[in-house]
Amino acid sequence: MSKQKLELVVLGQDDGAAGCCPTPLLTAPLDEDQAADLAKVFKALGDPVRLRLLSMIASRAGGEVCVCDLTPAFELSQPTISHHLKLLREAGLIASERRGTWVYYRLLPETTDRLAAVLTRRAGALS
């Protein structure tokens, strides 16, 4: 047995396909600004009400929903729902547009796409 083969056996890399370190999830680590931006988004999503609001907006046919259709789904006051929507908007997850009395909300897919890119495992990663 050659010395090189012996070293591979010791490290547990006998076939070359399954190394001691799995393929990384990301191609590069986040820099400080990217991490700070994403932390705001994750914080906004860290509340069950906001997560439900976002899912209701994202799943709505036509891509937008009136606040008048969101509020009845919760046992919360309209100002509380508006506060949660404001936090989602400040995190860059949704946009709003006032039309007369009502405010309409729509998903900003570039932010959710960015989250998906961070959370999506590359093929062969950590398998």
Side-chain angles (χ1 to χ4, degrees):
M1 181 176 283
S2 72
K3 183 177 178 182
Q4 184 178 14
K5 178 69 176 174
L6 180 60
E7 289 175 11
L8 292 174
V9 171
V10 170
L11 295 174
Q13 298 176 342
D14 56 343
D15 64 0
C20 65
C21 301
T23 305
L25 190 61
L26 298 172
T27 55
L30 299 172
D31 66 29
E32 191 173 332
D33 291 338
Q34 290 172 319
D37 287 344
L38 282 174
K40 291 176 190 173
V41 177
F42 282 114
K43 185 175 179 181
L45 293 175
D47 182 275
V49 171
R50 290 193 290 273
L51 196 54
R52 280 190 63 209
L53 284 166
L54 185 71
S55 72
M56 291 173 72
I57 295 166
S59 64
R60 179 60 64 114
E64 68 177 16
V65 61
C66 176
V67 69
C68 62
D69 293 328
L70 295 171
T71 304
F74 299 90
E75 293 184 16
L76 298 170
S77 67
Q78 189 277 327
T80 300
I81 294 298
S82 292
H83 173 73
H84 285 297
L85 289 165
K86 175 185 167 194
L87 293 177
L88 290 172
R89 195 178 62 245
E90 289 176 350
L93 288 161
I94 60 172
S96 63
E97 179 182 342
R98 177 173 290 281
R99 294 184 204 149
T101 305
W102 301 110
V103 178
Y104 290 78
Y105 293 91
R106 63 181 168 80
L107 181 74
L108 293 176
E110 55 270 17
T111 303
T112 53
D113 289 350
R114 204 172 64 188
L115 288 176
V118 170
L119 297 174
T120 301
R121 191 167 51 153
R122 291 186 303 147
L126 303 176
S127 55

